[in-house]
Amino acid sequence: MVIAILVAAMILMAAKVRYDVVGLGVMAALVILGVITPAQAFSGFSSSAVIVIAAAFVMGNALIQSGALSRFEDVLSKLESPFAAMVVIILITTLVSAFVSDVATVAIMMPLSVRISKRFGVSPSKFLMPLAFAAILAGRLTIIGSSVNLVILQFVYQQTGRYLSFFSITPLGIVVVSAGLAFLAISWFFLPSKALPGAVEAEGYLTELRVTSDFPYLHRSLMEVEKSLPGRILGTYKGGRLKRGFMALWESVDVDDVLIVRATPEEISSLMRTSGIELVPKGGQVEAGVMQEAVVMPSSPLAGHTAESLDFKSVYGITILGIARSGLPICERLSKVVVKPGDILLIQGQINRPLSEVGLMPTAGGNISLMGRRDVAMVLVGFLTAIALAAFTSVPIGVDFVVGLLIMIASGAVPIRTAYGSVEWPVIVMIGSFFSLAQAMQASGASTLISSVLFMGPLRQPIIALLALYLISMLLANGVNYVAAAMVMAPIAINLSAALGASPVPFLIDVMMATTTVFLTPISHGANLMVLEPGAYDFKDFFRIGLPLALLLMVVTVLVLPLFFPLG
């Protein structure tokens, strides 16, 4: 019965049914069928893993909002070769992503990487896949580097009665990540050059201008007007019709025409001061204020909607002045553009919700800090306190991060509404509910049965077993959600270690490392998906670079794992 529920859950997740919905359905089915009690079903939500993951979301978002991570462009601007820039980018990404969400790290580093590729005249595809892979790799460096790590942490505690320390996986992680980063550096010579260097323009935003009666260039051609205004005119919206391309250059510019323009933030600021034209973003009149650049995250409620379909101004307090998109340039009414994850919005206004609640992330190098110096200091104090407690005391890690979070909230650096808005609740629901499946697999004997079937004969040799466990876990993680894969494979790893008379810890660490080896497809991880269009990649590109990287990590992990976590 439990195996049937497990198979059904895997099929649903492979079909891209929402993981949190699948988790809740699994939990309900197990309770209704009497496999586990209601108390057991909900116990996952009180686990340290869930608490730390929720706290890590808030603290990581606070670090990003502080602007502390937005100072890397100065370092990169001093480099003289694109290869060196790529290496520095993946090193910075690795350092940041060891403590901050990998998807958020990619979101803030991607526009910066594109600007650097443009400066060197190199395709963004040379930078973006290594960026995403480095962010995922970094999860192996600290216990909060990935949600998977915290899930495995809970299983280790259940088996040994003690939690792994904050840096317990760091020595192993350094070896494995170093091998991975060396491969990514070499991959520079094999990555495709598909996207044109100017295809992703973090500094060129699509915006709209309405012509008024006092415009000094009335009745002149679009070509003449373009020479007199900053930015590039892509087309004109006249009489209910959008005219663009070569023939539009001879169109006469009249009152109430809407000019479709691509411009930098500085050029847009200049246009706002030009007589005879006004910005016409959907959502109300443009007000004075500082413009901000922010990336649309995959979880953003703005994704999939147009400015016309959502009243951004009244609901979010945001006026969208422009939008920049990776890949093919946009040439249509700003109000008609469907916002996608990875888009960069140029926004302005008195934002009445935290940026994180709207699913927006300030870009690196944008010189945007949404906090005062005192708040930035308190965010750093809270974060470092949590790490220090986790690394140097025996206090449970869940309490450590709650203490760090309370410092941020009590000091006023992180408003309580911002804290709740920073948590990715679907992830919390999925993890909390899938713990019920792990419990059911252990209690019913399903994990023992699966382990005995999968690992027979020569696969019962410890090193061979680790290799096979890694391979199966990795393939499952690339086919379904990687966190769910870890929760399914962890009970199997525990039973396998018991059958071999070995410690469960190295086998659980093996699953941890394997289920974060999600490089085979662009849809296996949010970080991969974010760079898919900007780099003009296809599935074949990910498989061609991701497969050898995955195999390298598998071999290195299995060989060095027993040195740090003995099998006996």
Side-chain angles (χ1 to χ4, degrees):
M1 185 182 301
V2 173
I3 294 178
I5 293 174
L6 170 63
V7 171
M10 295 299 104
I11 292 173
L12 289 172
M13 286 191 291
K16 301 306 171 187
V17 177
R18 283 181 57 121
Y19 305 130
D20 51 339
V21 174
V22 174
L24 290 173
V26 166
M27 184 176 70
L30 291 171
V31 172
I32 292 171
L33 295 173
V35 179
I36 57 174
T37 65
Q40 290 174 317
F42 290 104
S43 63
F45 291 98
S46 63
S47 67
S48 290
V50 168
I51 295 169
V52 177
I53 290 169
F57 278 134
V58 179
M59 297 171 78
N61 181 72
L63 280 173
I64 294 171
Q65 299 290 335
S66 72
L69 307 180
S70 301
R71 307 300 178 190
F72 302 126
E73 194 159 9
D74 292 339
V75 175
L76 291 165
S77 64
K78 299 175 183 177
L79 300 174
E80 297 182 355
S81 82
F83 176 74
M86 187 274 280
V87 171
V88 173
I89 284 173
I90 63 175
L91 290 175
I92 292 173
T93 299
T94 302
L95 177 63
V96 173
S97 192
F99 302 95
V100 178
S101 160
D102 38 29
V103 174
T105 302
V106 171
I108 64 173
M109 293 298 293
M110 184 169 66
L112 170 60
S113 300
V114 169
R115 285 198 290 271
I116 295 298
S117 73
K118 181 185 175 185
R119 181 165 74 87
F120 286 111
V122 176
S123 169
S125 61
K126 290 286 191 179
F127 288 82
L128 297 183
M129 188 182 292
L131 167 67
F133 285 1
I136 298 170
L137 272 172
R140 293 160 168 77
L141 293 175
T142 68
I143 208 67
I144 64 165
S146 168
S147 300
V148 165
N149 300 1
L150 294 164
V151 167
I152 296 300
L153 177 78
Q154 191 67 27
F155 283 102
V156 171
Y157 176 76
Q158 291 174 359
Q159 295 300 308
T160 65
R162 60 180 177 83
Y163 287 107
L164 295 172
S165 65
F166 189 84
F167 293 110
S168 57
I169 63 171
T170 303
L172 171 63
I174 289 174
V175 175
V176 177
V177 170
S178 296
L181 291 178
F183 177 88
L184 291 180
I186 296 171
S187 73
W188 170 270
F189 303 100
F190 302 98
L191 284 164
S193 295
K194 291 189 173 182
L196 296 175
V200 186
E201 186 105 17
E203 300 156 300
Y205 287 87
L206 180 80
T207 191
E208 297 180 352
L209 307 169
R210 176 176 288 114
V211 178
T212 64
S213 59
D214 55 344
F215 187 52
Y217 305 103
L218 282 176
H219 312 306
R220 296 190 185 182
S221 71
L222 206 62
M223 182 185 297
E224 293 179 86
V225 172
E226 184 175 34
K227 295 177 182 178
S228 306
L229 295 178
R232 180 189 172 196
I233 300 178
L234 304 177
T236 179
Y237 190 75
K238 178 190 291 284
R241 293 180 58 192
L242 178 63
K243 299 182 179 181
R244 57 189 177 182
F246 182 75
M247 297 304 296
L249 294 176
W250 281 270
E251 287 288 334
S252 172
V253 174
D254 302 310
V255 176
D256 288 333
D257 284 357
V258 175
L259 307 180
I260 312 299
V261 177
R262 183 175 298 281
T264 67
E266 293 76 15
E267 290 170 335
I268 291 176
S269 180
S270 176
L271 288 167
M272 292 172 67
R273 298 189 298 270
T274 302
S275 63
I277 53 175
E278 58 185 16
L279 289 174
V280 287
K282 181 75 176 179
Q285 189 66 29
V286 177
E287 302 171 354
V290 177
M291 291 186 290
Q292 300 179 0
E293 297 172 274
V295 180
V296 179
M297 301 293 287
S299 59
S300 173
L302 310 185
H305 297 280
T306 65
E308 189 174 55
S309 65
L310 287 177
D311 191 355
F312 288 114
K313 182 67 176 178
S314 62
V315 177
Y316 301 109
I318 293 174
T319 297
I320 299 179
L321 302 182
I323 181 170
R325 172 166 301 162
S326 308
L328 295 176
I330 312 168
C331 183
E332 60 179 306
R333 293 296 305 271
L334 180 60
S335 60
K336 301 291 186 182
V337 176
V338 177
V339 177
K340 295 182 179 181
D343 285 352
I344 308 171
L345 303 183
L346 186 66
I347 59 177
Q348 187 183 46
Q350 299 298 319
I351 301 173
N352 56 32
R353 299 190 184 189
L355 275 184
S356 58
E357 189 176 325
V358 190
L360 298 178
M361 195 67 65
T363 63
N367 295 322
I368 298 172
S369 176
L370 305 181
M371 298 181 180
R373 290 185 177 180
R374 176 187 173 278
D375 290 343
V376 172
M378 294 312 300
V379 165
L380 293 175
V381 167
F383 186 72
L384 294 175
T385 298
I387 292 177
L389 289 173
F392 305 114
T393 73
S394 58
V395 179
I397 190 171
V399 177
D400 299 335
F401 274 78
V402 168
V403 169
L405 188 56
L406 286 174
I407 291 174
M408 296 183 185
I409 294 173
S411 65
V414 177
I416 192 69
R417 183 176 178 179
T418 300
Y420 281 111
S422 300
V423 179
E424 294 188 23
W425 294 107
V427 175
I428 300 298
V429 171
M430 180 195 71
I431 292 173
S433 57
F434 261 96
F435 268 119
S436 63
L437 178 59
Q439 285 185 324
M441 288 177 66
Q442 291 175 295
S444 66
S447 57
T448 303
L449 176 61
I450 295 172
S451 174
S452 63
V453 171
L454 291 179
F455 300 93
M456 297 186 296
L459 295 183
R460 291 251 169 188
Q461 299 297 320
I463 294 298
I464 302 299
L466 283 174
L467 195 66
L469 180 64
Y470 192 111
L471 181 61
I472 294 169
S473 301
M474 178 184 73
L475 293 175
L476 184 61
N478 280 273
V480 299
N481 179 272
Y482 61 102
V483 180
M487 302 188 78
V488 169
M489 294 304 298
I492 296 172
I494 292 169
N495 283 102
L496 176 61
S497 64
L500 298 177
S503 167
V505 176
F507 287 83
L508 288 170
I509 300 297
D510 190 57
V511 170
M512 176 195 293
M513 298 290 170
T515 50
T516 51
T517 308
V518 278
F519 308 113
L520 302 185
T521 75
I523 60 174
S524 57
H525 195 283
N528 296 345
L529 197 58
M530 286 198 74
V531 303
L532 177 62
E533 288 190 21
Y537 301 118
D538 54 33
F539 276 66
K540 182 172 60 178
D541 295 322
F542 276 88
F543 192 77
R544 188 163 59 90
I545 302 297
L547 180 61
L549 173 60
L551 295 177
L552 171 66
L553 297 178
M554 178 175 69
V555 172
V556 172
T557 300
V558 172
L559 289 179
V560 302
L561 178 58
L563 301 179
F564 298 101
F565 297 93
L567 297 174

